Amino acid sequence: MKSIVILISGRGSNMEAMLKAKLPCRIAAVISNRPDAAGLGIARSHGIATAVVAHAEHASRELFDAALGAEIARHQPDLVVLAGFMRILGDEFVRRFHGRLVNIHPSLLPSFPGLHTHRRAIEAGVRIHGCTVHFVTPTLDNGPVIIQAAVPVYADDTEDTLAARVLAQEHVAYPQAVRWLVEGRLMLTGDGRVLLDGECRNAAVLLVPQSDDSLLHQPLSPARERGAT
Ligand code: GRF
């Protein structure tokens, strides 16, 4: 059975979704860069080993990356899962775990890399938003896509309502991606393609319809519509 290490920084709801999904793998440890991350308590309550590698206690990114890498290596995981891990990892770290380092980002990449994705999606007036699980490469929020989940953006959405809608789909998409990985069904090729069951399959894109809301019944924003062509 494969083993994984999950890295968190805060709430840990994606990590918790993974624990609840009963994935066919061993969760060797949950590691946080923040000692006060709420997710650490959740992991412990599931009997998972936890560790803290505090970025604040390291003088440079390189030293932090080295300490984090050493803590991960102790567990010899097949896969390192970034689940709301809010530190940028250096090139050397990313290369060390190439092909077995995955992340979830709360937007439909390549749109909205970086922070405040939900606010930026609303400001940009997009009608569809979502999340992306991807392999991590040295460029931030830019690696090969494994799975995406899409949700509608409504005219009366706030950052919070949109974030909650996306998060619900994160909790579906991320466990699915990790399941494929630990089952040995999904891999990254040397030339950066993502193969599922040995093939490049767009079936790995998940469009999640919202059954409780109807797009057709949402009021359109007049200001936004005036600007539209
Ligand atoms: C999620 O929206 C994730 O996509 C982003 O940070 C948030 C973390 O939430 N990278 P949680 O800690 O998993 O609850």
Side-chain angles (χ1 to χ4, degrees), residues 7-17 39 42 82-86 103-107 114-115 117-118 130-132 141 163 166-167 170-171 174:
L7 304 191
I8 63 168
S9 295
R11 180 175 58 179
S13 71
N14 277 287
M15 174 210 69
E16 189 175 14
I42 299 172
L82 306 182
F85 184 70
M86 301 304 283
N103 181 44
I104 187 156
H105 182 74
S107 78
L115 296 174
T117 55
H118 308 305
C131 64
T132 304
D141 298 331
V166 171
L167 191 66
E170 294 185 38
H171 296 165
Y174 212 3

Side-chain angles (χ1 to χ4, degrees), residues 152-157 165 210 212-221 225:
V153 181
Y154 297 139
D156 57 355
D157 263 329
R165 192 173 307 122
Q210 302 293 296
D212 56 339
D213 296 305
S214 164
L215 271 175
L216 296 174
H217 295 136
Q218 292 302 312
L220 296 170
S221 149
E225 289 313 297

Side-chain angles (χ1 to χ4, degrees), residues 7 30 41 59 75 84 90 145 165 173 184 196 212:
L7 304 191
V30 168
H75 303 282
V145 172
R165 192 173 307 122
L196 179 62
D212 56 339

